[in-house]
Amino acid sequence: MDNSVTEVTTIGSTHSPPSMGHDETKAVKTLRLISIFFLFCVIPIAIGVYLYTANAEDEEFENQYFEFANKVLESIGATLENSFGALDNLATSVVAAAHAANQTFPNIRVANFGIHAAKTLSLSRAKIIVMCPVVKGGQFEAWHNWTLQEGRTWVDETVNVQKTDPNYFGPIVEEYLTRDEIHTRNGATEAIGVHLPSWQAYPIVPTWPPYNYDYITGLTYTTAHTEMLEKGSIVITTPYLNPDPNDEAAMENAISTAGWLYERLHPDEEPLEPASDLYFPIFDDLNTFETDTSKTSPVATFGVTFYWRDMIRDILPESAKGILVVVDCPCSASFTYRLDGSETTLMGRGDLHESKYNDMELTSVITQLDSFRIRQTSYSGPGLDDETCPIAFRIYPSQATEDQYMTNNSLIYSGFTVLICLTAALLFVIYDRYQERRQKVFMESAEKNDAVVSALFPAAIREKLYANQQTQREMEKKGGGMRALDGNNAPIAELYTDTTVMFADIAGFTAWASAREASDVFTLLESIYFEFDLLAKKYRVFKVETVGDSYVAVCGLPEPRKDHAVVMAQFSAECRDKLVGLTKELAKSLGPGTESIKMRFGLNSGPTTAGVLRGERSRFQLFGDTTNTASRMESTSFPDCIQASQKTADLLVEAGKSSWITKRNDLVAAKGKGSMVTYWIQLGEKKSSTSKPDSARLSTTCGVPESKLEHLIDFNTEILEHLLQDLMLHNSPNQERSGPFSPKVIRREDSREEMKGYSFDNTTPRDDIVEVIPIPKMDPSQKPKKQKTSVGNSLDEKVKNQLHDFVTQVAHYHSNDNPFHNFDHATHVAMSVRKLLARILKPLHQRDSNEVKKGSRSVTSKAAKFDKILRSTYVLTSDPLIQFAVYFSALIHDAKHPGVSNGTLSNENHEMAIRFNHKSSAEQNSVVVVWDLFLSDKYDDLRGAMFGSNVERLRRFRQIVVNSVLATDIFDRELRDVRERRWTKAFPDDDVSALSLSSFEMDSMEGDLRATIVIEYIIQASDVVHTMQHWTVYQRWNKRLFCEMMSAYKAGRTDKDPSEGWYGGELWFFDNYIIPLAKKLKECGVFGVSCDEVLDYAQDNRMEWEQKGKMIVAEWRKELQGKEEGASWTADTCEESLSSSSNRSN
């Protein structure tokens, strides 16, 4: 091997060459030998003397303490194991008895339950045990009948057991109340969902009915019950009865909670000490834990109440003093017990140990106590849950513990020990000085060179270089060397069969650079390629090299991946988009003309040979026809355009990305390749097949005039700016019931965990749909304050720019290939949303006196009956966040729309359908892609202006967007049925007068439900608002939808010709969706007389379509037949023929 190759590989190695830090290394070795010799001679003697004299007592103290501490943890684990074992035996007895009596859960009664339970209480050190069967909605009636039949039988039987139980301490129940329905303190529960009613228990507590109290809805530990039912594991609740003595309310609540215990504890037992409930799952299969527990679910649970003091009493010998046990729970306040022999004393709330003993802490989470067990455990029942508020035990000594073992004799020899330590420290300081100097020289050189090597070679290639270097060294030791022809020195090269190579070059770079200093040239290149490198890491694309102003990258090596063409297309598109903003920013420092810099991109796919040419300045390189063709694609491309070869285009089509490519009209004359067919890559943009660039397309798309799209972007941006100004004013300190607006912004780095919770990395939008969106309450006795936007309240330029950029990105997420589902349609929907929000009626008490005098609908008796509804819906117009969110939802609801229905996506088994479980695929995809864009760092200031530092506003905004966009999926039966049920509940049509005006405070959940429904119906109506507008508007969008569906049919994505059923389908749509929807908007009374117009237009359009629809469809089919074979409709081509067909139909 060449010496130059050896040098390169040495740089990347973790081993330094012999020449690096040679003198320093020699000095360090010499000093190390001296230090080691001194340490072996002096330090052991000093330590030995000190240990045998000064530290003998300290060692005894520590050893004895750790022995006690381990015994405490061991005993706690043993106590828990005994408790679990006793409960497991009782569960086995219960199930066996039920099977023997041919009883099935939940309707079981275990004879002599009190006898078995009394033994279990004794073993588990608990105060009460309650069995709670799992009762589901369909079992309610049978359960009530069963408790009516068997309830008193087991209660009387258990009372008799209490009378004869020598271990029972407390009053005997003579009379008791029963309730045969499942209930809580608030009354009977609804017969839906899952419930855990109390059943057989021991002992019987006379302060409440002995059975049928619902442990799920009636207690505060719903999470514990849920974890127990879902995981089938034991759950211990957060400790309670541990109030703050200075908090009177907390003390009263604790005393009330512990009321039933006062007469059942011995005089020396304090009721107000920390206690917990333990929930032990019961399974119907006795062999559950010998098989797969994930296939079974608990049929019942034991609820056990115990004091924590009972877990740690009677553990230590009388000689142990002052051992502290801190019980730490992340969900509540910790507390500290002191152990003095067999006595256990509660010291109080919090961690009360002395900080000087921190280093002697012995700790264990409750689920890991078995690690302190000496004997093997025999317990084989359900495991203890390790996620629900895991309780930890921390053991410390105290001053009382130390005082038993420590004297003052250790101070006598401290001087001698200090002298020895100072001598050793001095030697080590000298040693460290040389060591640090050597290490610094080595590491600085190694880090610099390793960074260079890492940038030049992939990780796998670097490892091969390091291995090659080791072989070279071994050969040199034997007196020889290696050359490339040697069998042991094979070239580092490999053929990768599936790759995509990208070449990118700055157009006009030479002319631009000729007028600049060299530093300016490198500032430009470093800035551009730094951003490209970040994107390469994001997409896992390997940057090969930069040659001058050219950037070369490859995907598919050294790590193979099937989607290399798709990823490279996305990477190149984002690089191009990143360049636009970057050059505008650099123009401020690099001068005019910088903002006009564009790049040409070329892509080609195929096999590539890649490897390291060892020798002088060795580097990782690509070879082969694939690389050469990619270079030709770049050189024959146009500025701001991405040109791909036929091979790359074919791979994109196979991946379902045919919408990304447009065939170039003219053939490309590539050097050495002849004439080639090539394609333009355009992600989410309008597409064209122009053969060369013109001034109209040098913005963000290739070959598409931007005038109309830019107008739509500016229009929507201006509206959102006004809404954002109102939102900022609403969030300011001058506005009541609103958090102050703060310049702090919500960034990923500021609150990464909080931001992670609001992304869709681990969930889908459909999972996050809620029945009711919490809506901020407005005082019904006051009128909303008028918000006036002044010059001083205008938006910051940075926020305005980010808002404009965001709207632009959303616009480009809408494909112009879709005649209907495009940004034009999104704007049309957004305008309707804005209109409907403005037409929500005010409640009577908020109307001006002149409004009442006009004799409008607002003073009629019917409107009065709806006043309660209006109180809950008018808040939508006074909360700018809701208005912004609904308008935002309208703009994004068709982003990245595939141009086909969700059903078609499911039939195709499309990746989008698979990702979203074949439910609302297009709608969920729109939310995810735009939300991910919205949370990106580039829009930090926009989010800051919208939410300040209030993450709760972000959460509510996200919820409104999810519910709104998913509401546009009108063909999902499950979502449709849910909306119908909510509508009936919120807007009853049988007794509107029940919505009384006399109640000043209406039910919060009921009001929020109405507001949520109105939000969803606003965007639903807006999504199809063209059917409720003038005939010409309806025809325009109906034709566009027809074009889109026919294009999908011609592309083979649907089996049935849409034109065959279009006429009847429209009539069905009017009768079954449009007109009923318009009637609901009118009947709810929220929008006043404006919905009369909506309903009239819908009925008129239906009537006119019935008369003219067949003729119109025939004309559309004729136009389609006249198009070239294989051609498809776009928004522009569909629009061109619209006016003529409409005129003929009229």
Side-chain angles (χ1 to χ4, degrees):
M1 179 183 288
D2 281 341
N3 293 334
S4 60
V5 177
T6 302
E7 179 182 356
V8 171
T9 55
T10 299
I11 290 174
S13 174
T14 57
H15 304 286
S16 62
S19 61
M20 183 177 292
H22 177 72
D23 295 337
E24 290 80 4
T25 302
K26 184 177 180 180
V28 168
K29 287 183 178 179
T30 302
L31 186 58
R32 182 183 295 145
L33 292 175
I34 297 174
S35 300
I36 293 174
F37 176 79
F38 178 80
L39 288 173
F40 272 112
C41 295
V42 179
I43 294 179
I45 295 175
I47 293 176
V49 173
Y50 185 81
L51 290 176
Y52 279 100
T53 56
N55 288 343
E57 296 158 345
D58 186 53
E59 181 179 359
E60 182 182 2
F61 157 61
E62 291 184 5
N63 292 339
Q64 192 63 60
Y65 156 69
F66 281 111
E67 179 181 344
F68 290 154
N70 277 280
K71 187 171 184 179
V72 169
L73 292 177
E74 177 192 347
S75 298
I76 294 174
T79 301
L80 285 174
E81 179 190 314
N82 292 337
S83 300
F84 295 165
L87 290 170
D88 190 37
N89 291 335
L90 180 59
T92 302
S93 300
V94 167
V95 174
H99 289 179
N102 291 324
Q103 297 177 346
T104 58
F105 285 91
N107 300 336
I108 70 163
R109 182 180 69 82
V110 180
N112 298 320
F113 177 83
I115 296 175
H116 300 293
K119 295 178 180 178
T120 302
L121 287 180
S122 177
L123 292 173
S124 62
R125 299 187 178 184
K127 300 304 179 185
I128 189 172
I129 180 169
V130 182
M131 181 176 67
C132 302
V134 176
V135 178
K136 300 180 180 178
Q139 300 172 328
F140 262 53
E141 182 176 354
W143 171 254
H144 291 165
N145 292 335
W146 174 257
T147 58
L148 183 64
Q149 172 185 337
E150 300 289 341
R152 286 188 171 274
T153 301
W154 74 260
V155 173
D156 294 338
E157 180 182 89
T158 303
V159 169
N160 291 330
V161 173
Q162 289 178 217
K163 294 178 179 179
T164 59
D165 183 2
N167 296 321
Y168 175 71
F169 182 84
I172 300 298
V173 177
E174 299 295 344
E175 296 182 359
Y176 54 89
L177 298 176
T178 62
R179 293 192 65 172
D180 298 312
E181 75 280 359
I182 302 176
H183 62 277
T184 65
R185 292 185 178 92
N186 298 324
T189 59
E190 296 184 14
I192 57 174
V194 178
H195 298 268
L196 286 174
S198 59
W199 186 225
Q200 293 186 263
Y202 188 85
I204 301 298
V205 178
T207 56
W208 58 69
Y211 52 86
N212 268 339
Y213 189 84
D214 189 4
Y215 268 52
I216 285 187
T217 58
L219 297 181
T220 59
Y221 305 117
T222 303
T223 302
H225 307 136
T226 303
E227 294 292 330
M228 184 274 297
L229 292 175
E230 290 182 353
K231 298 180 180 179
S233 56
I234 303 171
V235 177
I236 297 179
T237 66
T238 302
Y240 56 94
L241 298 184
N242 184 30
D244 184 352
N246 299 320
D247 188 337
E248 294 183 3
M251 287 294 295
E252 290 179 1
N253 182 64
I255 293 173
S256 174
T257 302
W260 69 274
L261 287 166
Y262 277 88
E263 296 181 347
R264 288 159 184 80
L265 297 178
H266 291 280
D268 59 341
E269 293 182 303
E270 171 59 44
L272 288 185
E273 286 194 18
S276 286
D277 293 336
L278 182 151
Y279 294 100
F280 189 95
I282 304 173
F283 296 87
D284 198 21
D285 185 358
L286 294 176
N287 299 318
T288 292
F289 298 98
E290 298 176 2
T291 58
D292 186 0
T293 60
S294 65
K295 297 181 180 179
T296 60
S297 298
V299 294
T301 181
F302 287 133
V304 178
T305 299
F306 65 92
Y307 281 101
W308 285 101
R309 63 173 176 242
D310 294 330
M311 294 288 119
I312 56 177
R313 62 179 170 83
D314 301 330
I315 293 177
L316 299 178
E318 295 301 324
S319 60
K321 303 294 181 181
I323 302 298
L324 302 185
V325 180
V326 179
V327 182
D328 196 1
C329 177
C331 304
S332 65
S334 58
F335 49 91
T336 304
Y337 276 99
R338 171 169 170 160
L339 305 185
D340 294 296
S342 59
E343 296 184 5
T344 303
T345 306
L346 177 65
M347 297 181 65
R349 286 166 55 94
D351 185 347
L352 303 181
H353 84 279
E354 299 171 67
S355 59
K356 66 178 181 179
Y357 298 113
N358 286 348
D359 58 342
M360 299 181 70
E361 173 189 293
L362 187 62
T363 184
S364 175
V365 179
I366 192 169
T367 55
Q368 299 176 355
L369 285 172
D370 57 341
S371 61
F372 293 91
R373 300 300 309 280
I374 297 177
R375 67 180 189 276
Q376 292 292 329
T377 178
S378 59
Y379 174 70
S380 61
L384 180 60
D385 178 62
D386 59 356
E387 296 180 357
T388 305
C389 293
I391 295 172
F393 300 94
R394 291 185 279 117
I395 316 298
Y396 301 95
S398 65
Q399 188 63 51
T401 312
E402 186 176 1
D403 290 344
Q404 289 183 282
Y405 304 97
M406 304 300 294
T407 66
N408 294 327
N409 294 335
S410 59
L411 298 177
I412 299 176
Y413 301 99
S414 59
F416 180 73
T417 304
V418 170
L419 179 63
I420 294 176
C421 292
L422 287 177
T423 304
L426 178 62
L427 288 175
F428 274 107
V429 167
I430 299 173
Y431 171 83
D432 286 341
R433 180 181 178 186
Y434 282 99
Q435 177 70 10
E436 182 179 1
R437 180 182 174 186
R438 172 187 175 275
Q439 193 70 11
K440 184 177 180 181
V441 171
F442 173 82
M443 291 304 299
E444 287 180 352
S445 177
E447 288 175 358
K448 291 178 182 178
N449 293 314
D450 188 67
V452 174
V453 175
S454 298
L456 293 175
F457 305 105
I461 299 299
R462 290 201 304 270
E463 294 302 322
K464 292 182 179 180
L465 284 172
Y466 297 156
N468 184 274
Q469 179 192 21
Q470 184 64 29
T471 305
Q472 172 78 8
R473 288 177 176 175
E474 293 176 358
M475 294 296 293
E476 289 176 351
K477 289 180 180 180
K478 295 178 181 179
M482 294 200 319
R483 297 183 303 171
L485 295 178
D486 295 338
N488 295 328
N489 192 25
I492 302 176
E494 190 170 344
L495 175 64
Y496 299 88
T497 58
D498 298 306
T499 65
T500 297
V501 180
M502 184 201 79
F503 277 71
D505 185 77
I506 301 177
F509 176 80
T510 304
W512 181 90
S514 63
R516 265 85 179 170
E517 296 289 339
S519 59
D520 292 339
V521 174
F522 276 82
T523 297
L524 174 74
L525 294 177
E526 287 181 348
S527 300
I528 293 175
Y529 295 147
F530 173 77
E531 296 295 336
F532 283 16
D533 291 346
L534 292 179
L535 293 175
K537 291 180 181 179
K538 171 184 175 181
Y539 286 99
R540 294 190 295 132
V541 169
F542 180 70
K543 171 189 174 184
V544 179
E545 60 181 346
T546 55
V547 181
D549 60 321
S550 296
Y551 189 95
V552 184
V554 62
C555 186
L557 70 81
E559 298 177 1
R561 54 188 304 177
K562 296 180 180 179
D563 59 346
H564 54 88
V566 173
V567 170
M568 188 59 82
Q570 294 172 320
F571 169 69
S572 57
E574 190 161 352
C575 285
R576 183 192 62 182
D577 296 340
K578 177 69 71 175
L579 181 67
V580 176
L582 184 60
T583 52
K584 290 181 180 179
E585 182 180 351
L586 290 173
K588 300 175 183 178
S589 58
L590 301 184
T594 305
E595 71 278 1
S596 300
I597 289 177
K598 308 292 180 184
M599 294 190 76
R600 297 186 299 267
F601 295 84
L603 274 62
N604 183 41
S605 303
T608 301
T609 299
V612 179
L613 284 178
R614 295 170 296 191
E616 285 292 333
R617 299 179 180 85
S618 57
R619 58 197 176 107
F620 186 77
Q621 290 183 307
L622 308 179
F623 301 93
D625 183 72
T626 299
T627 304
N628 294 335
T629 303
S631 176
R632 301 294 183 267
M633 292 297 99
E634 175 273 314
S635 61
T636 57
S637 181
F638 296 134
D640 213 31
C641 292
I642 306 170
Q643 184 172 225
S645 66
Q646 182 70 55
K647 292 182 179 179
T648 302
D650 291 342
L651 291 175
L652 292 177
V653 172
E654 290 179 7
K657 307 298 181 184
S658 58
S659 61
W660 290 4
I661 62 174
T662 301
K663 185 177 180 181
R664 183 170 173 172
N665 281 346
D666 56 326
L667 297 176
V668 173
K671 182 180 178 181
K673 305 295 294 183
S675 297
M676 299 181 65
V677 176
T678 62
Y679 297 81
W680 300 119
I681 292 181
Q682 299 160 286
L683 277 66
E685 305 164 358
K686 293 182 178 181
K687 302 194 296 180
S688 173
S689 57
T690 55
S691 59
K692 65 179 182 178
D694 52 60
S695 59
R697 65 185 182 84
L698 290 180
S699 57
T700 58
T701 61
C702 185
V704 177
E706 289 288 321
S707 57
K708 182 177 181 180
L709 183 61
E710 289 175 355
H711 171 73
L712 294 175
I713 292 171
D714 293 340
F715 172 82
N716 287 292
T717 302
E718 183 177 356
I719 293 177
L720 289 173
E721 283 180 4
H722 288 298
L723 292 174
L724 183 54
Q725 285 177 333
D726 292 341
L727 178 59
M728 293 173 65
L729 285 172
H730 188 78
N731 294 339
S732 67
N734 295 329
Q735 185 72 18
E736 285 186 82
R737 297 171 301 281
S738 298
F741 173 75
S742 169
K744 177 183 176 183
V745 296
I746 305 171
R747 290 189 174 93
R748 291 181 184 270
E749 60 267 30
D750 290 339
S751 188
R752 189 171 298 275
E753 290 302 318
E754 286 184 317
M755 291 295 292
K756 186 185 299 183
Y758 296 106
S759 69
F760 291 100
D761 295 338
N762 301 315
T763 185
T764 65
R766 191 178 174 105
D767 295 333
D768 291 347
I769 295 177
V770 296
E771 181 177 16
V772 179
I773 300 174
I775 305 295
K777 298 302 174 289
M778 182 174 61
D779 188 348
S781 65
Q782 298 180 1
K783 298 180 181 180
K785 297 180 179 180
K786 298 285 186 179
Q787 294 181 346
K788 297 182 179 180
T789 303
S790 64
V791 177
N793 298 124
S794 61
L795 295 178
D796 181 82
E797 282 299 315
K798 184 182 294 185
V799 174
K800 293 173 65 175
N801 292 337
Q802 289 186 12
L803 179 60
H804 185 275
D805 180 76
F806 178 79
V807 176
T808 302
Q809 292 295 326
V810 171
H812 289 155
Y813 278 175
H814 292 75
S815 174
N816 195 55
D817 285 347
N818 295 337
F820 185 87
H821 293 98
N822 52 39
F823 195 64
D824 193 5
H825 175 252
T827 303
H828 190 75
V829 174
M831 292 172 62
S832 174
V833 163
R834 189 182 182 207
K835 179 179 179 180
L836 287 174
L837 281 172
R839 292 190 174 185
I840 294 178
L841 291 177
K842 298 179 182 178
L844 293 177
H845 66 275
Q846 290 185 351
R847 302 184 187 183
D848 296 331
S849 58
N850 59 340
E851 292 183 68
V852 179
K853 293 177 181 178
K854 291 179 182 178
S856 62
R857 180 172 178 164
S858 60
V859 296
T860 64
S861 59
K862 184 175 182 180
K865 295 176 182 179
F866 280 104
D867 189 67
K868 188 174 181 180
I869 293 178
L870 297 180
R871 290 188 185 186
S872 58
T873 57
Y874 185 65
V875 69
L876 303 181
T877 65
S878 61
D879 186 353
L881 181 65
I882 296 177
Q883 296 188 59
F884 192 103
V886 180
Y887 194 96
F888 177 99
S889 302
L891 280 187
I892 74 167
H893 79 285
D894 280 339
K896 295 285 186 180
H897 196 283
V900 294
S901 67
N902 290 329
T904 299
L905 293 176
S906 295
N907 292 336
E908 294 175 342
N909 208 26
H910 193 278
E911 60 181 352
M912 190 185 299
I914 295 174
R915 178 182 181 185
F916 299 111
N917 200 24
H918 299 272
K919 293 183 177 181
S920 306
S921 304
E923 291 78 8
Q924 293 196 77
N925 185 65
S926 297
V927 173
V928 170
V929 296
V930 177
W931 191 255
D932 188 60
L933 174 70
F934 180 66
L935 291 187
S936 62
D937 295 341
K938 64 190 294 187
Y939 301 119
D940 283 341
D941 297 287
L942 174 60
R943 294 195 305 275
M946 293 173 62
F947 313 113
S949 59
N950 192 328
V951 180
E952 174 60 22
R953 295 195 189 110
L954 172 63
R955 183 202 64 77
R956 191 159 61 90
F957 178 85
R958 176 183 182 271
Q959 190 61 69
I960 296 172
V961 171
V962 168
N963 269 48
S964 299
V965 175
L966 270 294
T968 62
D969 185 8
I970 62 177
F971 292 108
D972 186 288
R973 179 174 299 176
E974 180 181 346
L975 293 180
R976 186 172 65 247
D977 292 342
V978 170
R979 285 192 291 268
E980 287 294 332
R981 289 195 299 270
R982 290 189 299 170
W983 175 275
T984 302
K985 180 179 179 181
F987 298 98
D989 55 4
D990 55 339
D991 189 15
V992 177
S993 60
L995 304 174
S996 173
L997 284 172
S998 61
S999 175
F1000 179 83
E1001 294 184 356
M1002 58 185 174
D1003 181 77
S1004 174
M1005 185 67 75
E1006 182 180 288
D1008 290 354
L1009 176 62
R1010 297 191 192 104
T1012 302
I1013 293 174
V1014 170
I1015 290 173
E1016 294 179 357
Y1017 273 86
I1018 283 176
I1019 197 167
Q1020 274 190 317
S1022 299
D1023 194 29
V1024 293
V1025 73
H1026 60 278
T1027 64
M1028 307 176 194
Q1029 294 174 334
H1030 193 272
W1031 169 257
T1032 56
V1033 178
Y1034 164 60
Q1035 280 298 88
R1036 176 191 179 204
W1037 291 104
N1038 191 25
K1039 171 70 176 293
R1040 285 191 171 199
L1041 183 59
F1042 177 86
C1043 296
E1044 184 170 298
M1045 300 289 284
M1046 288 301 297
S1047 295
Y1049 172 69
K1050 290 183 64 178
R1053 301 191 70 178
T1054 57
D1055 297 330
K1056 186 177 180 180
D1057 185 349
S1059 64
E1060 295 179 356
W1062 197 265
Y1063 169 78
E1066 284 294 288
L1067 292 177
W1068 182 92
F1069 194 57
F1070 270 110
D1071 294 338
N1072 292 275
Y1073 183 75
I1074 300 301
I1075 293 177
L1077 177 60
K1079 288 181 178 180
K1080 283 185 176 180
L1081 295 177
K1082 177 181 178 180
E1083 292 168 359
C1084 73
V1086 172
F1087 303 98
V1089 296
S1090 61
C1091 285
D1092 292 339
E1093 176 188 22
V1094 169
L1095 179 58
D1096 291 342
Y1097 271 128
Q1099 292 173 336
D1100 291 346
N1101 287 336
R1102 196 267 184 210
M1103 185 183 303
E1104 194 158 357
W1105 176 259
E1106 185 175 18
Q1107 297 172 359
K1108 303 177 181 180
K1110 290 183 179 179
M1111 180 181 64
I1112 293 173
V1113 173
E1115 290 181 358
W1116 291 348
R1117 295 185 66 178
K1118 185 177 180 180
E1119 290 175 22
L1120 184 61
Q1121 292 171 358
K1123 292 178 63 66
E1124 295 179 6
E1125 183 67 21
S1128 61
W1129 290 101
T1130 65
D1132 293 331
T1133 58
C1134 185
E1135 192 75 10
E1136 290 171 1
S1137 63
L1138 180 60
S1139 59
S1140 60
S1141 64
S1142 296
N1143 291 335
R1144 289 192 300 269
S1145 66
N1146 292 330

